[in-house]
Amino acid sequence: MKYSLGIDAGGTYTDAVILRNSDEKIIGANKALTTYPDPMAGIKNAIDGLDESYLKSVKTVSVSTTLSTNSILEGTGFPVGLILIGDFDFKQELPTKHYIQVSGGHNHKGGEKAPLDIESIEDFVYKVKDKVSAFAISSFFSNRNPDHEEDVREWINLVTDHPVVCSHELSQDLGAFERAVTAFFNAQLIPVTDKFMHTVESEIKSRGMDANIFMLKCDGSVVGIKKALEKPIESIFSGPAASLVGGAFLTGNDSCAVIDVGGTSTDISVIYNSVPKMSDKGAVVGGWETKVKAINMETSAMGGDSHIWVKENEVNFGSGRVIPLCRAAVMYPDFLNLLKRNPLSPVNLESENYQPTRFFIKSGYQPLEIDEGEREIFDAIKDEPTSISEIKDRINKYPSRKLLKSLIKKRLVQPIGFTPTDALHVLGNYTERNVEAANIGADYLASLARMDDKYQFCKFVKQEFTKNMASNLVSFFFEGISKNEIRKSFDIESPVQYKINIPVVLIGGPVSAFSEDLKELIDADIKVPDNSSVGNAVGALSAKGMRRVEVLIRRTSIFAPGWDYYVFSENGRVECNGYHEALDYARKLGESIILDYMEDIGIDPNHIQIDMDKKEITPDGWETPMESRVVVFGLAKHGEKS
């Protein structure tokens, strides 16, 4: 008997499930807290809760994670040197202070537009190589000719051992700035993903499992471990993709909407006829538009571990993930007493970091780049929870809000605070951790918010959280209508109610606590399936093999005689004699890439359906198209992954 193991390492929990391959039945599941900075302990604890007798026969391990997504959302990735080649005209601030823009690049046909200024790049690399962990390169029209990107990478590899990412390897779409952002985040995530995947691999091998290891991508497909490490950016939404596929699998619905409540965010997505709906644009994360093909998703930076704080009597929901009070009291035995005696900060200092429920601990990461002011605060924070007042006593002043925020973004410090998870503990909806710590925190914040008691405060938090879920769901289907306007409608007493005509599946830890409240806001068939708390790990296992290959075919010249065409693809530029030869080349290339991908993930080629779609632009009087965009799509039948 063969089995498959699914693992999902989220921002809060690491989940593991065992699936029997013969009938695709889940026969075991377990949850464990995610551990920082090394996820090894959390992964090990999750697997430890499964029946060891099944593990010996596991042949496939599939992984999904929100760690990469959270790194971008929280601004806590590793430093990267960004090299821009060509006429970039960016109005938006770049995501790194370590960057250079030099002459070079190509035109839309792949011809060199200007010579590459390699000398300036050499000076830049020598200047920043000890301050960054990787390099990202984006050259103008590198999707038409990648020579300049490849020349720079070759040189950097001679003088550093840092990973180097080229934008043409990640996207063939137009949009040089967006490709640059994609390359930047891919480079930033390489250390995070490398550590994570090798942690998984070592744990699997140490248990004697002879299994193939895969990672879920943000389009709902899977990829082998080697390619996952080359393009970690493609895993940025693998957690939500897993919840979407898992929700459909657990409920048996080929079409449904899924609400995934995680620690850092709440995500909405939809699947039709077993194929996830894809975004027309590249994935947008943390306000940055990328060129990564991902599921169509509505996301909110409000999750079960979002920080809740009060200023001037107003309740605020922070966008960053914190350790809930109820969890911190379990992790640190002395925390409860520290929380009880923590003084209020002066009213004029009230902010997200100056709260009676706010504490800080060192994450375990070593500083790579830190200034003197940050170092002073960092040294004042210990491995045990540290309050603002304790930091003040150690440095003889209140710590700078800006410097504290910087330490958190750099992953050097992890905050503790009151969260929606704590509110559920107070209300008795979810009591897995320390209820007393949640009650103490709710008392503090209810007083600051001028509410009657902790129960009123926590009911308000839960109600606001549910309204946010409902507005995200409705706005997902009402494209072009402001989510803020939809959100306002839930604060109005009215007999009008939104109706969703496909099932709505809730995935995540304590999601059942919100199901009845959500039914009061929207008219829908709302489902909380068995094993919903480990839905992402289920999705990692039930994901199908899918692969899209996009190819652009263009005439070499509009005016020159002849019928030659360029074919631009992820494999570079090829010149073909005539449109039909170019189209045939594109089809065969797409099929070859798809079959290689399916072989890599263990799919029998006899169980693959390959389709081709093309959009042609043919001017009046032309016998063949001026341009054609070809998409070759391969889909494996469910359950054929070995």
Side-chain angles (χ1 to χ4, degrees):
M1 188 72 70
K2 294 181 181 180
Y3 300 91
S4 296
L5 171 64
I7 300 172
D8 174 69
T12 304
Y13 288 102
T14 296
D15 304 332
V17 298
I18 289 280
L19 182 139
R20 186 167 55 211
N21 292 359
S22 60
D23 58 1
E24 295 188 331
K25 182 178 180 180
I26 298 169
I27 58 173
N30 188 47
K31 295 179 72 70
L33 290 171
T34 296
T35 51
Y36 292 92
D38 187 350
M40 170 65 82
I43 292 171
K44 184 178 183 300
N45 292 339
I47 300 175
D48 280 344
L50 300 173
D51 190 327
E52 188 175 349
S53 63
Y54 296 125
L55 295 177
K56 302 288 185 185
S57 300
V58 165
K59 297 302 178 184
T60 299
V61 177
S62 195
V63 182
S64 70
T65 179
T66 60
L67 295 180
S68 296
T69 313
N70 295 347
S71 295
I72 298 175
L73 285 174
E74 298 172 1
T76 55
F78 288 80
V80 170
L82 178 60
I83 299 170
L84 304 174
I85 304 170
D87 299 328
F88 282 81
D89 180 20
F90 50 88
K91 299 182 175 73
Q92 189 175 4
E93 184 179 351
L94 291 169
T96 176
K97 63 181 180 180
H98 304 300
Y99 75 92
I100 187 173
Q101 183 176 2
V102 301
S103 62
H106 294 78
N107 59 33
H108 68 282
K109 293 183 180 179
E112 186 176 75
K113 188 173 184 180
L116 176 64
D117 183 3
I118 191 67
E119 292 183 0
S120 296
I121 294 173
E122 291 174 358
D123 292 341
F124 170 75
V125 171
Y126 280 121
K127 179 181 177 181
V128 305
K129 67 184 180 69
D130 294 329
K131 299 178 182 179
V132 301
S133 59
F135 286 94
I137 311 165
S138 183
S139 177
F140 216 66
F141 276 114
S142 62
N143 55 334
R144 300 292 183 261
N145 190 330
D147 285 353
H148 284 181
E149 289 188 359
E150 291 177 346
D151 288 345
V152 174
R153 173 168 58 187
E154 183 178 354
W155 185 85
I156 293 176
N157 285 336
L158 292 176
V159 298
T160 81
D161 59 358
H162 293 341
V164 183
V165 175
C166 296
S167 73
H168 76 271
E169 297 175 315
L170 302 171
S171 174
Q172 286 297 300
D173 289 346
L174 296 177
F177 180 76
E178 289 76 15
R179 288 202 315 275
V181 169
T182 306
F184 168 81
F185 283 127
N186 194 76
Q188 190 180 61
L189 294 172
I190 284 176
V192 177
T193 307
D194 184 80
K195 185 177 183 64
F196 172 71
M197 290 304 286
H198 281 107
T199 296
V200 172
E201 188 176 32
S202 63
E203 179 65 20
I204 295 305
K205 289 181 178 179
S206 71
R207 293 174 182 266
M209 283 183 263
D210 181 18
N212 294 320
I213 302 176
F214 305 102
M215 190 171 191
L216 192 73
K217 294 168 56 180
C218 52
D219 62 358
S221 65
V222 291
V223 66
I225 185 171
K226 181 180 178 181
K227 290 185 173 149
L229 296 178
E230 292 173 357
K231 300 180 180 180
I233 187 70
E234 293 183 346
S235 74
I236 53 173
F237 289 143
S238 72
S243 68
L244 176 61
V245 177
F249 180 86
L250 289 171
T251 59
N253 291 110
D254 292 338
S255 300
C256 62
V258 173
I259 303 179
D260 176 18
V261 181
T264 304
S265 63
T266 297
D267 306 309
I268 314 290
S269 51
V270 66
I271 188 168
Y272 293 116
N273 298 320
S274 300
V275 177
K277 182 181 179 184
M278 302 298 294
S279 174
D280 294 332
K281 299 179 179 179
V284 178
V285 57
W288 295 100
E289 184 176 336
T290 73
K291 288 298 181 181
V292 178
K293 301 297 183 185
I295 61 171
N296 192 23
M297 181 176 65
E298 180 82 24
T299 188
S300 166
M302 187 187 294
D305 292 349
S306 294
H307 184 217
I308 297 172
W309 53 285
V310 177
K311 181 178 182 180
E312 297 177 353
N313 306 338
E314 183 177 345
V315 181
N316 297 274
F317 288 77
S319 59
R321 189 190 67 83
V322 303
I323 299 175
L325 302 180
C326 59
R327 179 181 169 190
V330 175
M331 298 170 64
Y332 306 101
D334 294 333
F335 177 71
L336 203 57
N337 290 328
L338 180 62
L339 178 63
K340 289 178 179 178
R341 63 174 186 267
N342 193 34
L344 296 174
S345 299
V347 173
N348 64 331
L349 287 178
E350 279 185 4
S351 71
E352 186 170 5
N353 283 328
Y354 290 76
Q355 299 282 306
T357 52
R358 186 76 154 176
F359 297 83
F360 307 89
I361 57 169
K362 287 183 176 176
S363 66
Y365 284 112
Q366 294 303 311
L368 184 62
E369 186 178 9
I370 187 171
D371 62 31
E372 184 178 343
E374 290 172 331
R375 169 64 69 180
E376 181 182 43
I377 298 173
F378 179 75
D379 290 341
I381 296 173
K382 305 305 178 183
D383 294 329
E384 297 290 318
T386 307
S387 67
I388 286 289
S389 60
E390 287 176 310
I391 298 174
K392 175 179 177 292
D393 291 342
R394 291 165 187 166
I395 66 175
N396 297 315
K397 61 183 176 183
Y398 280 106
S400 160
R401 301 172 187 174
K402 181 179 178 181
L403 295 181
L404 260 179
K405 185 176 181 179
S406 177
L407 289 171
I408 294 170
K409 281 194 169 185
K410 291 179 178 180
R411 283 194 168 197
L412 299 175
V413 169
Q414 190 171 6
I416 298 170
F418 191 87
T419 68
T421 300
D422 289 304
L424 295 182
H425 275 70
V426 173
L427 296 174
N429 299 136
Y430 182 71
T431 56
E432 293 292 316
R433 306 299 167 192
N434 190 293
V435 177
E436 185 179 2
N439 278 312
I440 294 170
D443 280 329
Y444 280 139
L445 297 182
S447 176
L448 289 176
R450 301 292 190 267
M451 292 190 181
D452 293 341
D453 56 30
K454 61 188 176 185
Y455 298 109
Q456 182 187 9
F457 177 79
C458 291
K459 287 177 182 177
F460 175 81
V461 168
K462 183 183 177 186
Q463 185 180 49
E464 290 298 298
F465 194 94
T466 308
K467 288 179 179 179
N468 185 70
M469 291 171 61
S471 59
N472 278 352
L473 178 63
V474 174
S475 67
F476 179 83
F477 293 105
F478 282 158
E479 296 182 15
I481 299 178
S482 166
K483 183 168 66 175
N484 290 334
E485 292 302 314
I486 293 174
R487 175 63 183 81
K488 290 177 184 177
S489 69
F490 289 109
D491 291 324
I492 301 171
E493 290 289 339
S494 170
V496 176
Q497 191 176 38
Y498 296 105
K499 180 177 177 60
I500 311 294
N501 288 325
I502 57 175
V504 176
V505 183
L506 303 186
I507 295 293
V511 289
S512 58
F514 299 102
S515 61
E516 294 303 317
D517 300 75
L518 195 59
K519 288 177 182 178
E520 293 181 5
L521 296 176
I522 59 174
D523 180 9
D525 177 16
I526 297 173
K527 299 183 176 184
V528 182
D530 293 339
N531 294 304
S532 65
S533 65
V534 292
N536 286 28
V538 174
L541 281 179
S542 56
K544 294 182 179 180
M546 291 186 293
R547 182 69 158 90
R548 290 175 174 82
V549 180
E550 299 186 6
V551 182
L552 175 67
I553 301 173
R554 295 191 67 175
R555 281 278 300 274
T556 57
S557 173
I558 297 177
F559 306 105
W563 299 95
D564 291 345
Y565 281 81
Y566 285 136
V567 179
F568 302 99
S569 71
E570 58 191 72
N571 284 12
R573 185 183 71 172
V574 172
E575 188 171 348
C576 293
N577 183 20
Y579 177 71
H580 295 295
E581 180 181 312
L583 187 62
D584 187 57
Y585 174 82
R587 177 183 57 79
K588 289 179 179 178
L589 174 66
E591 290 179 353
S592 175
I593 292 174
I594 288 169
L595 290 174
D596 286 346
Y597 160 77
M598 295 295 183
E599 181 181 3
D600 183 56
I601 62 171
I603 299 291
D604 185 336
N606 294 318
H607 295 281
I608 303 169
Q609 178 182 338
I610 299 180
D611 297 309
M612 186 180 79
D613 183 36
K614 64 180 185 295
K615 294 181 179 179
E616 299 177 336
I617 299 176
T618 307
D620 291 341
W622 287 47
E623 295 180 5
T624 57
M626 178 179 70
E627 176 180 297
S628 182
R629 293 185 178 273
V630 177
V631 177
V632 186
F633 179 73
L635 178 66
K637 294 180 180 179
H638 185 63
E640 295 299 335
K641 189 169 63 177
S642 63

